[in-house]
Amino acid sequence: MNNKRIIIAIDGHSSCGKSTFAKAIAARLGYIFIDTGAMYRAVALYALEHGAIVSGIVDEDRVVAMLGDINIDFRFNPERGASDIYVNGDLVEGKIRTIEVSNYVSAVSSIQQVREKLVKMQQQMGERKGIVMDGRDIGTVVFPEAELKIYMTADAHVRAERRFKELTAKGDKVTIEEIYENVVSRDNADMSRAISPLRKADDAIVLDNSHMSVEEQMAWFDKEYQRVLGC
Ligand code: DC
């Protein structure tokens, strides 16, 4: 057994199961798992709750002015087998995954100062390696030297269906059409923004999980992991 600890960077489209996959890998390897989307969502939630998003418009200057007041930390939750996100000591895990936050998070995440602050935090979290991080710019910007980079995708209809099931199971009143629209518009926004757009790193390997179970994805991962470790 090889005990080398590495950095695993997972990027890809919205709602393609990156976090589920990343969490399962981290549990298997005894690594830390960080969902960086949760960090951008936490900033968007704070902006919504503190008047920086008015009449559907994100006031970038106000968001930037608030950044110093936003302290984000993760605390491991053994029940979930993953870390919950806290803002200024408040648990916000349940509040960041609403359609309202989803509708503003792309705009908030395209603000340069927001990215600078969160990327710095993410790099510090990875200093000791043994980490699985998922997001949009992990293999390209946060950890360009990551030993294993995975670029995940899935058909947009399949992704909308999955997210729809997740949200309706929680009791959210949403339609499949609005979810599909949100998924596609976030893809476009993430891929076309000026700073750190979503793109596949040249050395990333692609995982299209449109028709794969979690078990099949894990079997695929095991092979790639062994390859990287040279086993
Ligand atoms: O993974 P997610 O859907 O929870 O991410 C929420 C948003 O945050 C997504 O629309 C893009 C943005 N994001 C980003 O710009 N960079 C990251 N590393 C992670 C997420």
Side-chain angles (χ1 to χ4, degrees):
M1 181 71 185
N2 192 327
N3 286 324
K4 185 178 169 207
R5 291 168 73 76
I6 64 169
I7 292 179
I8 301 175
I10 302 180
D11 291 303
H13 292 116
S14 311
S15 305
C16 67
K18 292 189 298 296
S19 297
T20 306
F21 179 68
K23 190 173 119 180
I25 292 172
R28 204 172 188 104
L29 302 178
Y31 278 18
I32 292 169
F33 156 56
I34 297 294
D35 169 3
T36 63
M39 299 168 75
Y40 289 95
R41 285 172 179 275
V43 175
L45 174 71
Y46 191 92
L48 266 168
E49 289 183 341
H50 291 81
I53 300 176
V54 181
S55 310
I57 307 288
V58 177
D59 181 335
E60 295 197 6
D61 293 338
R62 288 191 75 174
V63 175
V64 172
M66 281 172 181
L67 278 177
D69 302 329
I70 307 176
N71 283 308
I72 295 175
D73 70 293
F74 286 95
R75 301 180 201 169
F76 189 72
N77 176 346
E79 272 175 32
R80 258 186 1 106
S83 297
D84 288 333
I85 189 163
Y86 287 75
V87 173
N88 298 339
D90 293 333
L91 175 66
V92 294
E93 193 60 46
K95 288 166 93 182
I96 58 170
R97 308 206 185 267
T98 61
I99 190 87
E100 194 182 19
V101 171
S102 295
N103 283 336
Y104 294 111
V105 65
S106 279
V108 169
S109 70
S110 64
I111 303 171
Q112 181 166 3
Q113 290 91 334
V114 171
R115 302 205 72 82
E116 281 168 6
K117 175 180 167 118
L118 298 189
V119 166
K120 205 170 183 189
M121 280 182 68
Q122 292 153 11
Q123 287 171 335
Q124 282 165 354
M125 292 173 189
E127 268 167 7
R128 290 195 290 161
K129 302 216 172 189
I131 193 163
V132 185
M133 196 173 271
D134 85 73
R136 303 294 188 288
D137 59 343
I138 312 304
T140 50
V141 175
V142 182
F143 297 123
E145 308 300 327
E147 289 86 347
L148 177 52
K149 298 182 187 177
I150 299 170
Y151 187 82
M152 280 179 79
T153 187
D155 179 87
H157 289 285
V158 173
R159 289 186 277 138
E161 186 75 34
R162 289 178 187 159
R163 178 69 38 127
F164 177 72
K165 280 188 188 148
E166 229 173 75
L167 291 174
T168 49
K170 278 199 313 178
D172 284 8
K173 298 261 172 292
V174 286
T175 63
I176 186 84
E177 289 77 20
E178 74 179 310
I179 304 280
Y180 178 77
E181 215 167 276
N182 176 263
V183 161
V184 172
S185 75
R186 279 202 295 148
D187 282 355
N188 291 337
D190 292 346
M191 296 176 87
S192 64
R193 70 173 172 231
I195 316 157
S196 308
L198 167 65
R199 68 171 183 85
K200 180 185 138 348
D202 294 339
D203 51 351
I205 44 177
V206 176
L207 172 61
D208 180 337
N209 71 2
S210 304
H211 306 290
M212 283 170 92
S213 65
V214 174
E215 292 71 29
E216 286 167 334
Q217 293 173 59
M218 293 313 288
W220 175 92
F221 170 77
D222 282 342
K223 264 202 226 147
E224 296 300 335
Y225 179 67
Q226 299 299 335
R227 182 184 54 76
V228 165
L229 260 52
C231 301

